[in-house]
Each structure stands twice: as structure tokens, then as C-alpha cells.
Amino acid sequence: MTQQTPLHATHVAAGARMVDFAGWDMPVNYGSQIEEHHAVRRDAGMFDVSHMLALDLEGADAKAFLRGLIANDVAKLVEPGKALYACMLNEQGGVIDDLIVYFLSDTAYRLVVNAGTADKDVAWMQQRLAATGAAATLGVRRDLAMIAVQGPNARAKTWAAIPGAEAASTALKVFQAATLGDIFIARTGYTGEDGFELTLPADKAAGTWAALTAAGVKPCGLGARDTLRLEAGMALYGNDMDETVSPLDAGLAWTVDFKDENRDFVGKAALVANGARQQALGLILEDKGILRSHQKVFTAQGEGETSSGSFSPTLEKSIALARLPLGVAAGDAVEVDIRGKRLKARVVKAPFVRNGKALV
């Protein structure tokens, strides 16, 4: 049986089309997915992301534990609320999950992990805590809901909807969070637009959603969330990386921190030994058709594969992220196997779109 977020009844009442996503009954759209996409690029839209899981890591060894758990280095987090995007790896250098870590203090961090990997992530972290003997505890926060408000007008409309939000968050830098009572306001997102991700008590979710709707924020489903993140060149776990794919091959080398030679982390030895064997680049289809995941790509340097693909409402073209052979460069002409036909595509550097502007 699929799980339901605290906003499930709100989505059903609004006529959302519901689908099973990672074991959760979630809205894919409320009508026009294209309109929802454009609302985020041009104004403000919001998503129920309560299926994702917040975790609170606390204890004297919290910092040291995280430095060994993830490939990015939490030691660079010194400002309260500052966030870090990171990959949690297995011993082979594959990605168990990608997550966000918020620094609250040297002994307290908040982590947000993906819905489909949440149980696996918690089990892995508990296993690592036991194996290392770290003096830290992991709190699983299923009592919380999460709402992402995104778009050029997202912050202003959030301030209009939530009393005190402007004073609490107006000075926030990108990838930084603050608290307003029992609401955790983070200037983060998964769309390539500005905005907030709000974490709040589950019983406040419906009222906050209604207030945001009244302020002119458009409810959006997972369909628009996927095309937005693809345009923004943001990786999706299970498509663009998984336990068999290294972050060095998935366009996530920037999330791996090797600066401190004395810091060891799970998967480091494998990354050092293997290096990058592929590279992640963008594709724009020049023939008629639709790019999807797991399509073979033919290049002068050998074969690659698309990892995510869809129609881009902003560019009005089909686009994809792909893992391609080393040596392929932006501007190269390639071919993609779509239903047995080789169609022409052009290699570009992602992102395709950021802050409402086409970049390719």
C-alpha cells in the first residue's frame, strides 16, 4: 500500500492526478504540466516534497562522523544554517544517495535524503554509527512535512503567506537556512530557480499550503518538478547516478572534496583508484523525437547512454543528460538511438536553463 503525505487530502480535493512515486501516492500534475512548469520559471509554484526524509544527527562526534560518511566535507560549514550538497558512497565508489546537509552546530546537523532511498539510507547510517562507535544519534523525523516554493517571485509570496518569514529569511544566502519558530526555512531548491524549501510540523502543512495558494503560489506536481530539474541540469537519483555509478562519472565531481589528504571517507579509495571513466554532458535533439533515459548515444569516441531525458517546455526542444566517453566536448554532433532510428543531437554543457534564462 502506498504511503500518503500530510497534504494528500489537499491534493485529492484539488483534483490532482495521483501516481505511485517511490511508494508514495503523489500528485503528478493538477491539470497542465506545461503551465505548472512555466509558473515556476516565470512566477511561483510549489511542490509537496514531504515524501523526502529529514534526519537530525546530534552528538559530540557528529562532525567527525559526517566527514567519514559523505564525499563532500562538512568541515567547510561554519556559518549556522549553511548547507552542503553531497553524495553518500559505498566502498566501490557508487552513490548510495545524494543528500543535503545543514550545519546547525559542530554537534548538530540536519540531513535531507530522497524518498526512494530513505529506509536504505537510515540503515546504512545506523550501520556506520555502530561500526565507527561514533558518539552521535540519528533522529528520523517523519513528524515533519516539506513544501518547496520555487520561482522568481517565490520568496516574496512566501513572505506574504507566512507571518514573520520575511524578517527570518530575507538575509539568507543561497544554500542557507534559518528557523522561524517550528518552521525551518532553507533557500534551496531543485528547479534552477530561487525560492525556499520549508520544513514544518505535519499538522501545519495544510494550512501553510492554503496560505501559499491564497498568496498566488501555483500548486505543481512531480511532472513539472522533473522537467524543471532536468533543464537546470540537476541529477536525479536512480537515473543519473546509483550504487553502480561514481559521482566522478555522473557530473558530480564538484561534490567530492579531496583537499584534506588526511580525511578518509567511504568510497574514497575506489574514486582515487578508478578516476573518471565517463563524463556527464547535456544533449539537445536536432531531429524530431523525444529523448528519454537509457537510450544509446553514438559518438566519435565510442558509445554512451542518456540518463535522463524529456521535452523542455522552456526551450521547446527535447533535451537529455547523458554519460558519454571522455573526449566528447560541447558542440560535438552525436546520434541517439530512438526506437531503432539514429537521430541527430548536439552536445552541450548543462544546465540548459537557470533563473528563467536559456543558457544553450
Side-chain angles (χ1 to χ4, degrees):
M1 183 176 177
T2 54
Q3 300 181 78
Q4 298 178 357
T5 76
L7 287 163
H8 185 270
T10 299
H11 303 317
V12 173
R17 185 163 74 88
M18 308 297 288
V19 298
D20 182 346
F21 179 80
W24 292 79
D25 197 26
M26 299 294 294
V28 68
N29 59 58
Y30 294 81
S32 169
Q33 179 177 318
I34 299 290
E35 288 180 5
E36 292 170 18
H37 179 106
H38 288 320
V40 174
R41 285 278 178 255
R42 300 168 183 173
D43 185 14
M46 61 182 169
F47 306 85
D48 177 10
V49 290
S50 305
H51 57 318
M52 300 180 72
L53 179 61
L55 302 168
D56 287 337
L57 182 73
E58 299 178 333
D61 293 340
K63 180 178 181 178
F65 174 73
L66 284 175
R67 295 194 77 202
L69 179 76
I70 60 177
N72 215 335
D73 192 356
V74 298
K76 50 184 143 180
L77 299 177
V78 294
E79 192 175 357
K82 191 62 180 170
L84 188 75
Y85 175 67
C87 290
M88 184 167 63
L89 310 181
N90 56 27
E91 294 288 1
Q92 295 73 43
V95 182
I96 293 174
D97 197 12
D98 63 324
L99 49 89
I100 292 181
V101 180
Y102 295 94
F103 172 78
L104 306 179
S105 74
D106 282 336
T107 60
Y109 296 82
R110 169 159 289 178
L111 290 66
V112 178
V113 302
N114 286 304
T117 56
D119 292 342
K120 175 184 72 171
D121 291 352
V122 171
W124 173 253
M125 291 180 197
Q126 295 286 20
Q127 178 186 329
R128 294 299 304 168
L129 283 168
T132 60
T137 59
L138 189 68
V140 178
R141 301 300 306 274
R142 278 295 179 204
D143 57 316
L144 300 175
M146 299 185 209
I147 300 172
V149 192
Q150 303 281 288
N153 297 322
R155 291 201 300 154
K157 292 191 174 184
T158 299
W159 293 335
I162 302 175
E166 183 170 5
S169 63
T170 189
L172 285 181
K173 301 171 186 174
V174 174
F175 252 65
Q176 186 180 19
T179 55
L180 172 64
D182 51 10
I183 302 177
F184 190 73
I185 306 175
R187 197 174 173 190
T188 52
Y190 192 51
T191 63
E193 299 296 330
D194 202 355
F196 294 126
E197 290 180 310
L198 310 172
T199 304
L200 65 165
D203 60 5
K204 286 191 172 182
T208 301
W209 187 273
L212 288 164
T213 302
V217 182
K218 186 176 182 64
C220 301
L222 295 178
R225 184 170 165 83
D226 190 54
T227 53
L228 288 159
R229 71 90 194 167
L230 178 57
E231 288 185 348
M234 294 179 172
L236 173 65
Y237 189 83
N239 280 48
D240 305 299
M241 71 289 201
D242 56 33
E243 292 195 27
T244 69
V245 178
S246 156
L248 304 183
D249 296 341
L252 297 172
W254 61 276
T255 71
V256 181
D257 194 326
F258 290 120
K259 290 179 183 177
D260 185 347
E261 295 180 359
N262 296 318
R263 181 179 77 100
D264 194 19
F265 57 85
V266 178
K268 180 179 180 179
L271 297 187
V272 172
N274 296 325
R277 293 170 287 191
Q278 291 179 303
Q279 59 178 329
L281 289 165
L283 298 178
I284 296 180
L285 190 64
E286 296 187 327
D287 286 333
K288 289 185 177 180
I290 297 293
L291 294 171
R292 302 293 187 194
S293 59
H294 306 303
Q295 293 172 331
K296 192 174 292 185
V297 182
F298 302 93
T299 82
Q301 290 77 18
E303 293 182 4
E305 184 181 59
T306 59
S307 52
S308 289
S310 187
F311 176 75
S312 162
T314 303
L315 301 179
E316 297 185 337
K317 295 178 180 179
S318 190
I319 62 173
L321 297 176
R323 288 192 293 275
L324 302 176
L326 300 177
V328 176
D332 286 358
V334 299
E335 293 181 328
V336 183
D337 185 337
I338 300 180
R339 296 183 178 180
K341 294 183 179 180
R342 288 196 181 191
L343 301 184
K344 295 178 181 178
R346 174 168 52 93
V347 179
V348 299
K349 285 187 176 180
F352 304 88
V353 180
R354 276 287 171 92
N355 296 319
K357 296 180 180 179
L359 301 179
V360 295

